[in-house]
Amino acid sequence: MLSAVVFLCHASDIVSVSGESTYYDDGTKSKTECMRLAAEQARVDALARKFGTIVSQDILQTDRISGNREKNDFLALSSTEVKGEWIADDGEPQYEFSHDAQANLIVKCRVKGKAKEISNASAQFEASVLRNGTDLRHADNMFRDGDDMYLYFRGAEDGFVTVFLEDEEGNVYLLLPYPRDTKTRIPVSKGKEYIFFSREQDRGGDKYGVPVEEMVLTAPDRVEYNRMYVIFSPEYYSRPVMKAGDGLPVMKSVDFNKWLVKTRHNDEKMGVRAMNLQISPRQ
């Protein structure tokens, strides 16, 4: 459980929020997916209760490109038009399960967390996950076991970017800077397009003598859900303290959430985009 954090009451401060939702499955989704969608909806409910709603406002965005057109999936908070931004969970979501007359799963979820009202101070940037290709027509969040993963990034101003990946077991891995890089974040230039995790496209690491790491997503036995966090700020910031994992630095989700809440409280220009990824076994 996250301990309570007290902040001064300014309009842009991070505050405690709570919400709930009930998700009705149609028999097409796994229990894990139903729980995840119920939690997403409960977070949206919490934001709407605290900050209200507006028209056409993204929060945490999951991007897909289909036929050269961008599409937002409900897999992320960005698809709901609310005036707040979810920062981190405060403890684990609480679930209740039941079934309808057709034996379809019903999931009721309650969440508590930290959030802040959306302001114009956050740095603007574009980020898309790419599958098996390094241009935007390969943008996707639905992967198969063994697919290559790349990241497209472009910021509206000079700044620094860091990338994390969270798995279902509550582990958060540092993907960028690359594992053998001694920097705590990657410097990026205004308006420049970057393709990370590609040895052909990303020459920034080589320029500093750091090998570029390519990423392959795996899920050989069952469908898995991961979440990528892309963090960008024009201000210099320190990354969290992490342990040496199996090839990648790692920390627990609860500690990552604490770091993110504290860092965003101290840096109102920091922007965060969370993109959900589904990885399925190959048939």
Side-chain angles (χ1 to χ4, degrees):
M1 297 286 289
L2 281 175
S3 58
V5 183
V6 180
F7 301 109
L8 297 178
C9 296
H10 299 297
S12 61
D13 275 350
I14 297 172
V15 297
S16 296
V17 296
S18 62
E20 63 180 51
S21 73
T22 302
Y23 181 81
Y24 298 88
D25 183 35
D26 59 2
T28 64
K29 297 180 177 63
S30 67
K31 182 178 180 180
T32 299
E33 175 70 347
C34 292
M35 292 169 63
R36 191 169 64 84
L37 291 173
E40 295 285 3
Q41 292 177 352
R43 295 183 184 109
V44 168
D45 176 68
L47 296 174
R49 289 187 188 190
K50 182 65 179 180
F51 304 110
T53 59
I54 54 177
V55 177
S56 299
Q57 175 65 61
D58 289 338
I59 307 164
L60 299 178
Q61 186 170 337
T62 296
D63 296 328
R64 297 187 67 188
I65 302 293
S66 179
N68 294 324
R69 298 185 63 184
E70 183 173 315
K71 175 184 176 183
N72 290 332
D73 288 325
F74 184 71
L75 291 175
L77 294 171
S78 57
S79 59
T80 297
E81 300 161 352
V82 292
K83 294 173 65 177
E85 181 178 11
W86 192 267
I87 304 299
D89 289 342
D90 189 351
E92 295 292 331
Q94 302 299 308
Y95 298 98
E96 296 178 11
F97 304 99
S98 59
H99 293 83
D100 63 16
Q102 287 73 43
N104 293 321
L105 184 63
I106 301 173
V107 181
K108 185 173 184 178
C109 180
R110 296 182 179 88
V111 297
K112 295 181 180 180
K114 304 298 181 185
K116 65 181 295 185
E117 188 173 11
I118 290 177
S119 71
N120 293 326
S122 296
Q124 300 300 305
F125 65 94
E126 300 174 12
S128 293
V129 179
L130 311 178
R131 181 176 70 89
N132 291 339
T134 57
D135 55 58
L136 278 174
R137 66 187 178 89
H138 292 98
D140 205 343
N141 65 348
M142 310 290 285
F143 285 74
R144 294 283 188 181
D145 177 55
D147 281 346
D148 295 322
M149 183 191 74
Y150 307 101
L151 176 68
Y152 169 87
F153 178 90
R154 183 175 66 159
E157 52 190 306
D158 293 345
F160 305 91
V161 63
T162 311
V163 179
F164 300 88
L165 188 71
E166 181 179 21
D167 66 17
E168 293 181 357
E169 284 69 46
N171 300 306
V172 177
Y173 298 91
L174 179 68
L175 302 188
L176 197 73
Y178 295 113
R180 283 172 278 187
D181 196 339
T182 59
K183 296 188 295 295
T184 60
R185 85 262 336 126
I186 296 293
V188 290
S189 301
K190 174 184 177 180
K192 182 178 179 180
E193 294 183 322
Y194 293 85
I195 303 295
F196 294 114
F197 314 123
S198 168
R199 291 177 183 171
E200 293 182 358
Q201 299 289 330
D202 184 2
R203 311 311 301 174
D206 291 343
K207 180 171 66 176
Y208 297 107
V210 178
V212 173
E213 299 286 343
E214 295 190 327
M215 297 292 166
V216 177
L217 297 184
T218 59
D221 302 318
R222 63 179 180 84
V223 176
E224 296 185 16
Y225 298 95
N226 290 180
R227 171 171 285 185
M228 178 184 287
Y229 291 88
V230 181
I231 298 174
F232 172 68
S233 176
E235 305 292 340
Y236 191 85
Y237 61 91
S238 297
R239 79 184 192 197
V241 177
M242 309 183 76
K243 297 180 179 179
D246 185 14
L248 294 170
V250 63
M251 66 191 306
K252 301 304 293 184
S253 295
V254 63
D255 297 318
F256 174 76
N257 287 338
K258 289 180 180 179
W259 170 82
L260 189 58
V261 169
K262 180 180 179 181
T263 305
R264 298 202 70 185
H265 176 67
N266 294 328
D267 182 1
E268 65 176 7
K269 293 184 178 181
M270 177 175 283
V272 179
R273 177 164 294 174
M275 295 176 283
N276 293 306
L277 309 178
Q278 177 181 303
I279 310 103
S280 303
R282 292 192 179 275
Q283 301 300 326

